[in-house]
Amino acid sequence: MSWVLNQVALIGTAPTAGVTAWYREVFGFVDAGTASFAGPDIAAVQGLDVPDVDLEIGWLLDRQPFFQLEFFHYNVPASRPPPAPRTPCDLGYALVSLHVTDFSGVLARLAAHGTPLLTAPLG
């Protein structure tokens, strides 16, 4: 049996326009559009036990065939920040790793965007 990872969904992000712009400008992802959804039907599709939802979704593609990043930002109900400090045993994604061909270029673009590194590069 073989399989291919084709989508990573990041839920509870900042508004999608800023997040997708950051991933495009720093890592070179390609914009695949955005959409807004609202209403009780979307709440049901998302499995949320709330009367209404107002949701933005943004998509980005990379150079691999059939792969996308998907970003969900909830205006209603409001997304909540994860508990701090976040630990590896907390539910949900705690880490997303990317392979880049131009590591020095990505470090320069992170600095240009004011994104600090958590540690010095290792390896």
Side-chain angles (χ1 to χ4, degrees):
M1 180 165 122
S2 66
W3 56 274
V4 176
L5 179 66
N6 64 2
Q7 179 182 23
V8 172
L10 302 165
I11 299 170
T13 68
T16 56
V19 171
T20 57
W22 185 83
Y23 274 88
R24 279 192 327 268
E25 295 164 11
V26 172
F27 295 106
F29 284 93
V30 176
D31 188 12
T34 60
S36 296
F37 303 95
D41 292 342
I42 292 301
V45 167
Q46 293 294 309
L48 297 172
D49 188 22
V50 296
D52 198 13
V53 165
D54 179 3
L55 168 67
E56 301 170 32
I57 304 176
W59 297 273
L60 295 174
L61 306 174
D62 76 349
R63 288 181 267 171
Q64 297 180 66
F66 309 112
F67 181 79
Q68 72 177 9
L69 292 177
E70 184 175 47
F71 301 89
F72 287 75
H73 173 74
Y74 287 89
N75 295 306
V76 175
S79 295
R80 296 181 303 255
R86 194 134 164 93
T87 64
C89 65
D90 291 331
L91 294 176
Y93 287 106
L95 174 69
V96 174
S97 297
L98 301 172
H99 178 269
V100 297
T101 56
D102 179 13
F103 188 69
S104 296
V106 169
L107 290 177
R109 289 188 298 277
L110 286 167
H113 277 79
T115 305
L117 301 178
L118 297 178
T119 68
L122 305 172

PDB file of all heavy atoms in Angstrom, residues 76-93:
ATOM      1  N   VAL A  76     -16.428  33.922  13.641  1.00  0.00           N
ATOM      2  CA  VAL A  76     -17.460  33.506  14.594  1.00  0.00           C
ATOM      3  C   VAL A  76     -17.583  31.993  14.496  1.00  0.00           C
ATOM      4  O   VAL A  76     -17.796  31.482  13.396  1.00  0.00           O
ATOM      5  CB  VAL A  76     -18.827  34.161  14.264  1.00  0.00           C
ATOM      6  CG1 VAL A  76     -19.914  33.623  15.191  1.00  0.00           C
ATOM      7  CG2 VAL A  76     -18.750  35.670  14.329  1.00  0.00           C
ATOM      8  N   PRO A  77     -17.416  31.249  15.562  1.00  0.00           N
ATOM      9  CA  PRO A  77     -16.912  31.690  16.861  1.00  0.00           C
ATOM     10  C   PRO A  77     -15.451  32.091  16.743  1.00  0.00           C
ATOM     11  O   PRO A  77     -14.734  31.587  15.884  1.00  0.00           O
ATOM     12  CB  PRO A  77     -17.077  30.461  17.749  1.00  0.00           C
ATOM     13  CG  PRO A  77     -17.024  29.303  16.817  1.00  0.00           C
ATOM     14  CD  PRO A  77     -17.609  29.789  15.523  1.00  0.00           C
ATOM     15  N   ALA A  78     -15.028  33.001  17.591  1.00  0.00           N
ATOM     16  CA  ALA A  78     -13.658  33.509  17.530  1.00  0.00           C
ATOM     17  C   ALA A  78     -12.666  32.390  17.827  1.00  0.00           C
ATOM     18  O   ALA A  78     -12.885  31.575  18.726  1.00  0.00           O
ATOM     19  CB  ALA A  78     -13.477  34.640  18.535  1.00  0.00           C
ATOM     20  N   SER A  79     -11.596  32.350  17.030  1.00  0.00           N
ATOM     21  CA  SER A  79     -10.520  31.407  17.313  1.00  0.00           C
ATOM     22  C   SER A  79      -9.837  31.818  18.603  1.00  0.00           C
ATOM     23  O   SER A  79      -9.657  33.007  18.870  1.00  0.00           O
ATOM     24  CB  SER A  79      -9.505  31.399  16.170  1.00  0.00           C
ATOM     25  OG  SER A  79     -10.081  30.909  14.991  1.00  0.00           O
ATOM     26  N   ARG A  80      -9.466  30.840  19.387  1.00  0.00           N
ATOM     27  CA  ARG A  80      -8.781  31.113  20.651  1.00  0.00           C
ATOM     28  C   ARG A  80      -7.328  30.682  20.533  1.00  0.00           C
ATOM     29  O   ARG A  80      -7.036  29.667  19.905  1.00  0.00           O
ATOM     30  CB  ARG A  80      -9.451  30.353  21.783  1.00  0.00           C
ATOM     31  CG  ARG A  80     -10.880  30.775  22.044  1.00  0.00           C
ATOM     32  CD  ARG A  80     -11.465  29.999  23.200  1.00  0.00           C
ATOM     33  NE  ARG A  80     -11.410  28.564  22.977  1.00  0.00           N
ATOM     34  CZ  ARG A  80     -12.454  27.807  22.654  1.00  0.00           C
ATOM     35  NH1 ARG A  80     -13.637  28.347  22.530  1.00  0.00           N
ATOM     36  NH2 ARG A  80     -12.318  26.524  22.471  1.00  0.00           N
ATOM     37  N   PRO A  81      -6.420  31.418  21.124  1.00  0.00           N
ATOM     38  CA  PRO A  81      -5.018  30.986  21.104  1.00  0.00           C
ATOM     39  C   PRO A  81      -4.862  29.704  21.915  1.00  0.00           C
ATOM     40  O   PRO A  81      -5.643  29.454  22.840  1.00  0.00           O
ATOM     41  CB  PRO A  81      -4.264  32.147  21.743  1.00  0.00           C
ATOM     42  CG  PRO A  81      -5.282  32.901  22.516  1.00  0.00           C
ATOM     43  CD  PRO A  81      -6.616  32.657  21.859  1.00  0.00           C
ATOM     44  N   PRO A  82      -3.878  28.886  21.562  1.00  0.00           N
ATOM     45  CA  PRO A  82      -3.655  27.656  22.329  1.00  0.00           C
ATOM     46  C   PRO A  82      -3.171  27.999  23.732  1.00  0.00           C
ATOM     47  O   PRO A  82      -2.693  29.110  23.974  1.00  0.00           O
ATOM     48  CB  PRO A  82      -2.579  26.930  21.529  1.00  0.00           C
ATOM     49  CG  PRO A  82      -1.892  27.993  20.750  1.00  0.00           C
ATOM     50  CD  PRO A  82      -2.909  29.062  20.488  1.00  0.00           C
ATOM     51  N   PRO A  83      -3.270  27.039  24.623  1.00  0.00           N
ATOM     52  CA  PRO A  83      -2.766  27.303  25.979  1.00  0.00           C
ATOM     53  C   PRO A  83      -1.267  27.576  25.931  1.00  0.00           C
ATOM     54  O   PRO A  83      -0.562  27.044  25.089  1.00  0.00           O
ATOM     55  CB  PRO A  83      -3.079  26.016  26.738  1.00  0.00           C
ATOM     56  CG  PRO A  83      -3.273  24.976  25.684  1.00  0.00           C
ATOM     57  CD  PRO A  83      -3.741  25.677  24.455  1.00  0.00           C
ATOM     58  N   ALA A  84      -0.819  28.419  26.819  1.00  0.00           N
ATOM     59  CA  ALA A  84       0.611  28.723  26.874  1.00  0.00           C
ATOM     60  C   ALA A  84       1.148  28.296  28.223  1.00  0.00           C
ATOM     61  O   ALA A  84       0.461  28.440  29.225  1.00  0.00           O
ATOM     62  CB  ALA A  84       0.824  30.215  26.668  1.00  0.00           C
ATOM     63  N   PRO A  85       2.319  27.755  28.326  1.00  0.00           N
ATOM     64  CA  PRO A  85       3.155  27.401  27.190  1.00  0.00           C
ATOM     65  C   PRO A  85       2.646  26.110  26.544  1.00  0.00           C
ATOM     66  O   PRO A  85       2.148  25.222  27.225  1.00  0.00           O
ATOM     67  CB  PRO A  85       4.538  27.191  27.805  1.00  0.00           C
ATOM     68  CG  PRO A  85       4.253  26.736  29.200  1.00  0.00           C
ATOM     69  CD  PRO A  85       2.970  27.442  29.603  1.00  0.00           C
ATOM     70  N   ARG A  86       2.780  26.030  25.247  1.00  0.00           N
ATOM     71  CA  ARG A  86       2.319  24.863  24.489  1.00  0.00           C
ATOM     72  C   ARG A  86       3.351  23.745  24.635  1.00  0.00           C
ATOM     73  O   ARG A  86       4.552  23.995  24.569  1.00  0.00           O
ATOM     74  CB  ARG A  86       2.186  25.275  23.032  1.00  0.00           C
ATOM     75  CG  ARG A  86       1.419  24.304  22.247  1.00  0.00           C
ATOM     76  CD  ARG A  86       0.395  25.008  21.385  1.00  0.00           C
ATOM     77  NE  ARG A  86      -0.053  24.076  20.396  1.00  0.00           N
ATOM     78  CZ  ARG A  86      -1.117  23.316  20.558  1.00  0.00           C
ATOM     79  NH1 ARG A  86      -1.848  23.444  21.629  1.00  0.00           N
ATOM     80  NH2 ARG A  86      -1.457  22.456  19.650  1.00  0.00           N
ATOM     81  N   THR A  87       2.859  22.530  24.837  1.00  0.00           N
ATOM     82  CA  THR A  87       3.759  21.385  24.972  1.00  0.00           C
ATOM     83  C   THR A  87       3.445  20.352  23.894  1.00  0.00           C
ATOM     84  O   THR A  87       2.335  20.346  23.342  1.00  0.00           O
ATOM     85  CB  THR A  87       3.607  20.730  26.369  1.00  0.00           C
ATOM     86  OG1 THR A  87       2.284  20.219  26.482  1.00  0.00           O
ATOM     87  CG2 THR A  87       3.858  21.737  27.486  1.00  0.00           C
ATOM     88  N   PRO A  88       4.387  19.452  23.584  1.00  0.00           N
ATOM     89  CA  PRO A  88       4.154  18.462  22.527  1.00  0.00           C
ATOM     90  C   PRO A  88       2.971  17.530  22.776  1.00  0.00           C
ATOM     91  O   PRO A  88       2.457  16.939  21.841  1.00  0.00           O
ATOM     92  CB  PRO A  88       5.462  17.675  22.490  1.00  0.00           C
ATOM     93  CG  PRO A  88       6.475  18.622  23.011  1.00  0.00           C
ATOM     94  CD  PRO A  88       5.758  19.432  24.057  1.00  0.00           C
ATOM     95  N   CYS A  89       2.494  17.416  24.014  1.00  0.00           N
ATOM     96  CA  CYS A  89       1.368  16.512  24.278  1.00  0.00           C
ATOM     97  C   CYS A  89       0.012  17.194  24.098  1.00  0.00           C
ATOM     98  O   CYS A  89      -1.027  16.539  24.190  1.00  0.00           O
ATOM     99  CB  CYS A  89       1.474  15.907  25.676  1.00  0.00           C
ATOM    100  SG  CYS A  89       1.335  17.115  26.998  1.00  0.00           S
ATOM    101  N   ASP A  90      -0.016  18.501  23.816  1.00  0.00           N
ATOM    102  CA  ASP A  90      -1.287  19.190  23.589  1.00  0.00           C
ATOM    103  C   ASP A  90      -1.915  18.728  22.288  1.00  0.00           C
ATOM    104  O   ASP A  90      -1.213  18.434  21.312  1.00  0.00           O
ATOM    105  CB  ASP A  90      -1.088  20.710  23.539  1.00  0.00           C
ATOM    106  CG  ASP A  90      -0.708  21.281  24.894  1.00  0.00           C
ATOM    107  OD1 ASP A  90      -1.110  20.694  25.913  1.00  0.00           O
ATOM    108  OD2 ASP A  90      -0.009  22.299  24.925  1.00  0.00           O
ATOM    109  N   LEU A  91      -3.246  18.660  22.256  1.00  0.00           N
ATOM    110  CA  LEU A  91      -3.941  18.261  21.044  1.00  0.00           C
ATOM    111  C   LEU A  91      -3.725  19.299  19.944  1.00  0.00           C
ATOM    112  O   LEU A  91      -3.606  20.484  20.204  1.00  0.00           O
ATOM    113  CB  LEU A  91      -5.439  18.108  21.308  1.00  0.00           C
ATOM    114  CG  LEU A  91      -5.831  16.980  22.249  1.00  0.00           C
ATOM    115  CD1 LEU A  91      -7.335  17.008  22.483  1.00  0.00           C
ATOM    116  CD2 LEU A  91      -5.410  15.634  21.693  1.00  0.00           C
ATOM    117  N   GLY A  92      -3.702  18.835  18.706  1.00  0.00           N
ATOM    118  CA  GLY A  92      -3.533  19.728  17.561  1.00  0.00           C
ATOM    119  C   GLY A  92      -2.085  19.831  17.146  1.00  0.00           C
ATOM    120  O   GLY A  92      -1.181  19.312  17.803  1.00  0.00           O
ATOM    121  N   TYR A  93      -1.879  20.482  16.033  1.00  0.00           N
ATOM    122  CA  TYR A  93      -0.519  20.623  15.522  1.00  0.00           C
ATOM    123  C   TYR A  93       0.296  21.526  16.421  1.00  0.00           C
ATOM    124  O   TYR A  93      -0.130  22.616  16.768  1.00  0.00           O
ATOM    125  CB  TYR A  93      -0.531  21.209  14.112  1.00  0.00           C
ATOM    126  CG  TYR A  93      -0.992  20.251  13.070  1.00  0.00           C
ATOM    127  CD1 TYR A  93      -2.241  20.374  12.495  1.00  0.00           C
ATOM    128  CD2 TYR A  93      -0.185  19.205  12.675  1.00  0.00           C
ATOM    129  CE1 TYR A  93      -2.684  19.482  11.545  1.00  0.00           C
ATOM    130  CE2 TYR A  93      -0.621  18.306  11.723  1.00  0.00           C
ATOM    131  CZ  TYR A  93      -1.861  18.444  11.150  1.00  0.00           C
ATOM    132  OH  TYR A  93      -2.269  17.548  10.217  1.00  0.00           O
TER     133      TYR A  93
END
